Amino acid sequence: MGAGAGSGRGQLFLRSLLFLLLAGHPARGQLRYAVPEELEHGAFVANLGEDLGLDVSTLSARRFRIVSRAGARQHLEVNLENGILFVNERIDREEVCEAGGTCLLHLQLLVESPLELYRVEVEVLDINDHAPTFPWQEYVLEVAESAVLGARFPLESAQDPDVGTNSVHTYRLSPNGFFSLEVQTRSDASKFAELVLERALDREQQRVHRVLLTALDGGVPERSGTARILITVLDANDNVPAFDQPSYGVSLPEDAPAGTLVIQLNATDLDEGPNGEIEYSFSGHAPPRVRELFHVEPRSGQVLLKGRLDYERASLHELYVQAKDRGPSAVAVHCRVLVHLLDVNDNAPEVTLTSVSTPVLEDAPPGTVIAVISVLDRDSGDNGRVSCEVGPNVPFELRSSFRNYYTLVTTQALDREVVPEYNVSITARDMGSPALLTRSTLTIPVSDVNDNAPRFLQPSYSVYVMENNAPGASICSVSALDPDCQQNAYLSYSIADGHIHGMPVGTYVSINSDSGHMYALRSLDYEQIRSFQIQVQAQDAGFPPLSANVTVHIFVLDQNDNAPVIVSPMPRNGSVATELVPRSARPGYLVGTVSAVDADAGLNSRLSYQLLQATDFTLFSVAPDTGELRTLRSFLEQDASRQQLVVQVRDGGQPALSATVSLLLSVVETMPQTLSDFSEFSLPPEVSSSSPLTLYLLVSLGSISFTFLLAILILTAIRCRGERRSRQGDSCLPPRCHCCPGSRPSSDGLKTSNLTAQAPAGTTAATCLDVPAGGPPGYCYKVCLGPESAQSDFMFLKPCSPPRNNEKDPGKRSRPEQHLQVSKEAKQPNTDWLPPSTQRPALKRYRSQHWGHRGSRWKG
């Protein structure tokens, strides 16, 4: 029997496989296959790759898979290497499809890149894997002895979970002498057996009859089940209950509460007494599910709702109720009650995210697929029709691809810097009344693209650095922001190439590439460089990288690190500066101007002058702002002829720096045209080269000096020419010496002159020394020296002529205008103090030869 069963099962598998091959052809994107139940793991179902026309080698890369609901069992699976659909786990048709009829497995196949969806139906074919069974192994049937021949006694039906030919096909009764068996077919094609009395019963002869009832199915191999029937012969109760109609139909909403009356059954029995009292109950073959949902009142015949109905699980319930009187030999009669359930909109739509492609690039074009969404409503009719939509104000929309399948796509360009993440609300709403809806939120992060250049916090930076700073010290910090994220927002700072005063900018400053802190690489000097600017670049780490530039202006602040430098008067040969002052000078007489410069700026270069030491503080004063040295009063006879002064120059810095100069003033009766030490000075190198103004001043002073000398020469020539005309023919008299400009003394003449005369001691008038000239006869030269002229560095050759009316007073010949006038602003020597250039060599040689041993300088 085992071999026959295996052979029959193999034939059934071949028939199923043939049906699979005939049914497995694609039709408008949907395929249908058939597979027998109870196949082992790995059993072949279909070649989906070939039937769908897919490239088998790309199935894995395209994530070819079966999409199923969460928690659902995966009976079938796809082999990604060959595209074959195979059995993943054993399929029990009776478990998968509780109701009868065609059992279908609906599969959704999904493949990506590009996204495609296929629907496949797999019919599970029934095999004869269940034998018929009876509710009880032994039945007790009571038959009145008065039963007439041909009386029929319905028996309990056997149940077989299989369907079709594999279900209960027929019944057999063991041989006996009283009863035969007839098999009846119900409206639903189910079979049930009835005992037919073939021979009159005699309780006195035999009270009990035992027969064996066998139920057979139509499967291959054939399966069977048995039940023992114990027939007890009773005394006559010759009337049986009867229902009003053999079958009843009723409609009931699926949300009816427990205790609801389903139907009121009514059966009648013409007997009286106990033989006419009827009891109602479910027939023996009522399935357990019916007994869980419904209850029959034994005495009243009311069928009440006991459990919770579910239209989506079963829309129809078939109840078999029997009625039997309480008399002896009671015979049960049966009726069928069909309960039709009415669908109620009690199931909200279910939203399932089948496939989600996140995050999405912010430069994704409109129409990019973000997710595939499936919706399901287990209700029927309008209650099961679902519409789906997304929330407002989001750049996404839903597009329907198949029934109850939607794709979520972008509708416009995204910008992560504006919205880095979207919470998209998806609402599924059915068409029931009232409508039920389900909201599901899908979080869609936006991936960054390097589409924003860095931006500095300021359009430009101004940095103030005190000079003499320590090399390596931080001077400022620049900062930029990049709205992008991750590496697209990581910034590095650098300094653009350039030159500052001919030197690379990298030798002056450096920058930390990560923090933007800038450092000075050298100590800055305000007097050399006062300001400069550099370009700082911030560049992100994106691809391609984006950058931005900003200008950093660096201003060097002055520090009082330069002491004032006195430029006038300038002592020569390391001696004290000297000056002649006429004794006849009135109060306010300008002796000279002390000039100084300071390489600093601002208050640090603001100079003030004061008289630090003096032989007599009541005699001289120094203007604090201009440095002009003036007399405070007239000279007295008791005033010393030599006045030693020390002038201090201070700047306005903190702390203040200063410089001093020593002056030796000689008080003389008359003023020779000598050069004062106030005029001979030269600018220090740092002053002459530190500012263009110094160059301008030097050029101006040179031009003025040249013009002045030229004017002196012209005036001297005009004056001497007039005197020559008036004195032609005169001889050179010893007491008087007339100067003839027509015959200039040469250097040789001066060398051969006998200048041995000395000025008488104590004289106050000018001393004239005859100087024999090497020129034509009739001319002589006279050196006119004041009493203190030997103490001056330069002597003037001047013609000795009778004094004019306006020159009678020797003091008047020394006018204040002949002294040095130095500009306060430039603090440079005035060339008005310089003698004609033709007189300097002769006077110096004369001094060195004749008065060198007597002349002395002022002592500091």
Side-chain angles (χ1 to χ4, degrees), residues 252-294:
L252 189 67
E254 64 171 326
D255 61 348
T260 300
L261 176 63
V262 178
I263 191 173
Q264 174 69 58
L265 297 178
N266 185 30
T268 59
D269 192 327
L270 299 179
D271 293 328
E272 295 182 352
N275 295 330
E277 295 179 1
I278 300 175
E279 291 185 349
Y280 302 89
S281 63
F282 283 116
S283 62
H285 60 271
R289 178 65 178 168
V290 171
R291 296 178 184 271
E292 293 175 0
L293 295 176
F294 302 96

Side-chain angles (χ1 to χ4, degrees), residues 603-804:
L603 289 176
N604 296 330
S605 64
R606 186 172 182 178
L607 303 180
S608 63
Y609 302 84
Q610 65 177 349
L611 191 59
L612 191 63
Q613 296 179 9
T615 303
D616 187 350
F617 282 97
T618 64
L619 190 55
F620 300 98
S621 68
V622 176
D625 296 330
T626 63
E628 293 179 346
L629 181 61
R630 295 181 181 270
T631 58
L632 291 176
R633 58 178 177 80
S634 299
F635 287 97
L636 303 177
E637 291 296 334
Q638 62 270 22
D639 290 334
S641 60
R642 291 188 178 183
Q643 297 286 333
Q644 186 172 358
L645 306 178
V646 178
V647 179
Q648 183 187 55
V649 184
R650 294 172 59 90
D651 58 25
Q654 292 293 333
L657 300 179
S658 63
T660 59
V661 61
S662 297
L663 304 177
L664 186 59
L665 304 181
S666 295
V667 182
V668 297
E669 297 299 330
T670 60
M671 287 292 296
Q673 294 185 2
T674 59
L675 179 65
S676 152
D677 283 340
F678 279 94
S679 62
E680 289 195 355
F681 68 94
S682 60
L683 292 175
E686 62 272 13
V687 177
S688 62
S689 61
S690 62
S691 174
L693 179 60
T694 304
L695 179 60
Y696 300 153
L697 291 175
L698 291 176
V699 174
S700 300
L701 290 174
S703 301
I704 294 172
S705 300
F706 177 79
T707 305
F708 177 78
L709 292 176
L710 184 60
I712 291 298
L713 292 176
I714 294 174
L715 291 176
T716 303
I718 294 173
R719 178 180 176 184
C720 291
R721 182 178 299 176
E723 289 180 353
R724 183 180 61 180
R725 291 175 181 175
S726 63
R727 297 190 181 103
Q728 288 180 354
D730 294 345
S731 59
C732 185
L733 300 177
R736 298 180 63 187
C737 181
H738 300 279
C739 180
C740 182
S743 175
R744 289 177 177 266
S746 62
S747 298
D748 297 336
L750 288 177
K751 289 179 181 179
T752 59
S753 299
N754 184 14
L755 299 177
T756 58
Q758 296 183 2
T763 60
T764 59
T767 304
C768 294
L769 301 178
D770 293 335
V771 182
Y779 290 87
C780 67
Y781 290 86
K782 190 175 185 178
V783 179
C784 298
L785 302 175
E788 301 295 331
S789 61
Q791 299 169 359
S792 299
D793 290 338
F794 291 97
M795 313 296 178
F796 284 95
L797 288 176
K798 58 187 297 186
C800 290
S801 59
R804 298 179 184 178

Side-chain angles (χ1 to χ4, degrees), residues 7 97 392 478 639 806 810:
S7 175
C97 302
V478 297
D639 290 334
N806 58 352

